[in-house]
Amino acid sequence: MLNQRKRLWDAPPLKSHYDAVIIGGGLHGLATAYFLATRHDIRDIAVIEKRYIGYGGAGRNTAIVRANQRTQENVPLYKEALDLWPVLTRELDFNLMFYNCGNLNLAHSEAALKAMRLQTATAQFHGVDSQLVTPAECKALIPALDISDRPSYPILGGMFHPPGGIVRHDAVVWGLAKGASRKGVRIHQGVEVTGIGVQKGKVDSVETTLGRISTPRVLNAAGAYSAALANRLMGICLPISVLTIQAMVTQPLKPLLDHVISSGGYHIYANQTLKGEIATGAHMDRWPNYTTQTSAHYIKHQAEALTDLLPCMRGVKFMRTWAGLADMTPDMAPIMTGNDPVEGYYQDCGWGYFGFKSCTVAGKYMAQYMATGSCPDILLPFDQKRFEAHRLMGETAALVSYSADN
Amino acid sequence: MALSLTCPICGLRNGYEFRFGGADKGPRPLEEGLTPAQWCAYAHLNTCVAGVQLEWWNHKDGCGTWFVARRDTRSNREVPKEDVQ
Ligand SMILES: Cc1cc2nc3c(=O)[nH]c(=O)nc-3n(C[C@H](O)[C@H](O)[C@H](O)COP(=O)(O)OP(=O)(O)OC[C@H]3O[C@@H](n4cnc5c(N)ncnc54)[C@H](O)[C@@H]3O)c2cc1C
Ligand SMILES: [Zn+2]
């Protein structure tokens, strides 16, 4: 009896009708299904996943969570997401391994420090704990850091954000899948969505490799594949470029990195996993593509940057590298829309490499959007129309030329 | 990543020498009568094709020339002209 294991989610046959169909068994799709089922009593839901749940960015990200973004539209969303981890851990009865070790972001120039001043002021205004720190304080947080003027880019200061950290990304996928499945959500893996049927301006069905499903609402949550899908199935063009992003881990080491560190100057971030590996990323090749290839170019860059900041890491070996896709928007902020241009068609994409930390809150509000048909206030700024109105959000200013657009 | 591109002047070179300049969306729209929607489409919108696309490249760390290449976004391979329908 004790050894009898139960699957976390069921695999029932595909039905011919659902009240909602979600394309993509990634973080955002599963979270939306979970919130629809638990908060809005819409349980007759199919999550259609082409490969297996977690195949996309969900299983490839470096699991960093934080709420120290730049703009007033984004910070409250990410703050709520951060506050949700402990709540969901209890609610799902699944250990998401939220480790709020804090994030230390390093500045290597006056300009970077100035940007951090603005960012900490914004954070504090929104009740997010974030403060500027001196090089000596950086060193106190991470003694292995070289704060002398030896590195190519000496450390001039930093921004410390104590409530951020790391969450186990696979646990989020499994926990949400389990929670959604318990409420009746059907997760169909190995099934691809190949079409969306529209009648008189309204969604009426979804075509899949296992046949047609009739449904009044569908969410495109196919992650980095969602823009191509929107184009192919709906004729929609989005302000998105899909780029490959790489990450890697070293051999396990004794504890040396108690916080997540990141540096715009070096184009690097790193944290030590509970196993002891230094997980580090993340670089993007600046041309759109759908491969998940890694490159020697970036392994070398990563090694140089890491050992410049943390000289004690010289000689440490990388054990594994991998890559995933990131759907980048010109302003590094997501696109969440609904009923446009077709009633019942919803879209949640453009998360770039911020789609892990945001998944629960995006799911929560997209569920509300889909259940009520009207856009929750907090999501209003994320309409794609901002690009036409030349009202791009300023999330990009703190970063170096990352997207294909610059 | 395994990307090599053929610069019309320098020949086949490592992809990291180049800068991507966006999908080829045809000529820049005329200012006269230009609507925000048309400009947005030209400046920001992409089809995100998984397949062969025509695109602009600049040989940034080389001769500096701009040229149009055909590349398969699923493999990063350049596709010769005659293979494109
Ligand atoms: C290397 C790397 C590091 C990252 N680090 C971080 C980080 O530290 N913090 C952070 O917040 N974010 C990070 N991200 C970004 C984050 O992983 C993504 O933004 C997030 O996974 C997006 O979630 P999603 O649910 O939208 O898409 P995904 O998780 O990609 O899921 C989409 C799913 O849709 C499926 N699909 C596609 N087409 C179809 C179809 N036609 N029919 C059915 N299913 C389909 C795919 O198979 C996939 O499983 C990182 C990403 C990468 C690659
Ligand atoms: Zn050249």
Side-chain angles (χ1 to χ4, degrees):
Chain A
M1 270 314 270
L2 274 176
N3 280 329
Q4 248 179 27
R5 301 220 174 126
K6 207 178 161 285
R7 281 196 160 269
L8 288 177
W9 52 88
D10 306 322
L14 194 69
K15 296 194 301 166
S16 60
H17 174 88
Y18 289 94
D19 290 343
V21 171
I22 288 168
I23 311 174
L27 297 158
H28 288 252
L30 290 169
T32 307
Y34 177 76
F35 281 100
L36 272 171
T38 56
R39 308 296 198 272
H40 302 281
D41 210 30
I42 298 182
R43 297 166 187 226
D44 184 29
I45 303 170
V47 174
I48 309 288
E49 166 55 49
K50 181 176 173 179
R51 311 287 288 256
Y52 52 86
I53 60 169
Y55 163 81
R60 298 165 194 264
N61 67 73
T62 35
I64 297 169
V65 299
R66 57 184 178 83
N68 55 358
Q69 286 70 17
R70 290 188 86 243
T71 61
Q72 58 178 351
E73 295 87 359
N74 284 268
V75 173
L77 207 60
Y78 287 96
K79 179 184 188 315
E80 190 174 347
L82 211 47
D83 294 340
L84 268 172
W85 297 118
V87 177
L88 282 175
T89 298
R90 270 194 309 276
E91 200 179 300
L92 296 168
D93 189 22
F94 206 91
N95 191 355
L96 304 179
M97 297 170 82
F98 178 31
Y99 176 37
N100 51 345
C101 56
N103 314 54
L104 175 64
N105 193 342
L106 302 170
H108 309 275
S109 67
E110 283 298 332
L113 269 181
K114 209 169 149 187
M116 284 178 183
R117 231 165 260 143
L118 184 75
Q119 237 172 308
T120 44
T122 305
Q124 287 165 11
F125 178 81
H126 287 284
V128 173
D129 187 0
S130 183
Q131 64 231 11
L132 287 173
V133 287
T134 63
E137 287 168 325
C138 292
K139 178 98 181 156
L141 287 165
I142 298 171
L145 270 183
D146 185 348
I147 59 162
S148 74
D149 57 7
R150 187 206 52 84
S152 318
Y153 306 106
I155 295 167
L156 298 191
M159 178 171 72
F160 187 51
H161 172 49
I166 301 290
V167 177
R168 175 97 169 92
H169 57 319
D170 295 322
V172 177
V173 171
W174 299 329
L176 287 171
K178 173 188 148 189
S181 183
R182 294 275 149 92
K183 293 284 175 190
V185 172
R186 309 289 186 91
I187 297 166
H188 301 285
Q189 304 184 83
V191 185
E192 180 182 353
V193 170
T194 54
I196 295 173
V198 177
Q199 281 292 333
K200 299 196 181 109
K202 288 185 184 170
V203 165
D204 79 340
S205 61
V206 168
E207 295 295 337
T208 76
T209 42
L210 287 188
R212 188 170 176 276
I213 302 168
S214 74
T215 186
R217 40 178 105 71
V218 56
L219 171 69
N220 180 351
Y225 306 93
S226 60
L229 209 59
N231 188 252
R232 220 174 63 226
L233 307 189
M234 304 291 288
I236 295 170
C237 277
L238 288 164
I240 281 179
S241 300
V242 179
L243 308 189
T244 305
I245 180 166
Q246 303 180 34
M248 53 201 88
V249 287
T250 67
Q251 64 195 98
L253 305 170
K254 285 185 182 169
L256 80 112
L257 208 50
D258 290 344
H259 312 282
V260 179
I261 55 162
S262 59
S263 155
Y266 279 94
H267 246 184
I268 193 173
Y269 61 74
N271 72 279
Q272 190 160 19
T273 67
L274 296 178
K275 253 199 285 182
E277 310 145 319
I278 308 292
T280 179
H283 272 287
M284 316 195 85
D285 279 324
R286 289 178 208 156
W287 53 87
N289 76 95
Y290 289 95
T291 78
T292 49
Q293 296 163 348
T294 57
S295 66
H297 181 89
Y298 278 138
I299 298 174
K300 178 165 173 279
H301 168 95
Q302 210 74 4
E304 285 167 355
L306 264 185
T307 52
D308 218 15
L309 285 172
L310 301 161
C312 66
M313 286 200 52
R314 279 186 201 141
V316 171
K317 291 186 175 59
F318 283 125
M319 302 301 281
R320 196 159 56 83
T321 81
W322 68 93
L325 300 174
D327 50 342
M328 311 294 292
T329 60
D331 59 2
M332 306 273 299
I335 295 167
M336 289 180 274
T337 53
N339 303 316
D340 179 27
V342 164
E343 215 182 303
Y345 176 73
Y346 296 84
Q347 179 138 346
D348 171 21
C349 63
W351 285 99
Y353 44 93
F354 299 149
F356 175 61
K357 54 180 79 60
S358 58
C359 68
T360 53
V361 78
K364 175 179 165 186
Y365 288 110
M366 283 311 294
Q368 186 184 329
Y369 203 164
M370 291 176 74
T372 63
S374 61
C375 185
D377 287 347
I378 197 168
L379 296 192
L380 284 171
F382 298 96
D383 195 288
Q384 160 182 2
K385 295 214 168 62
R386 69 182 185 269
F387 297 96
E388 208 173 295
H390 306 298
R391 296 175 87 160
L392 276 64
M393 292 178 190
E395 283 300 326
T396 192
L399 289 148
V400 210
S401 58
Y402 248 178
S403 80
D405 302 272
N406 44 31
Chain B
M1 176 150 325
L3 174 69
S4 316
L5 288 169
T6 313
C7 168
I9 293 169
C10 313
L12 192 65
R13 306 288 308 171
N14 182 328
Y16 285 114
E17 291 178 11
F18 298 84
R19 177 190 153 178
F20 178 73
D24 182 2
K25 299 178 189 172
R28 179 187 165 119
L30 297 172
E31 300 276 323
E32 216 182 295
L34 184 67
T35 63
Q38 286 165 334
W39 179 248
C40 178
Y42 182 71
H44 295 308
L45 303 189
N46 294 313
T47 58
C48 295
V49 64
V52 179
Q53 82 173 3
L54 282 181
E55 52 195 25
W56 283 102
W57 285 90
N58 170 226
H59 197 189
K60 163 174 73 77
D61 299 343
C63 66
T65 205
W66 279 94
F67 60 99
V68 173
R70 287 167 214 83
R71 184 181 57 104
D72 192 328
T73 60
R74 294 164 303 182
S75 63
N76 276 324
R77 294 261 151 75
E78 268 185 300
V79 181
K81 201 176 199 160
E82 51 272 24
D83 292 3
V84 185
Q85 26 274 24

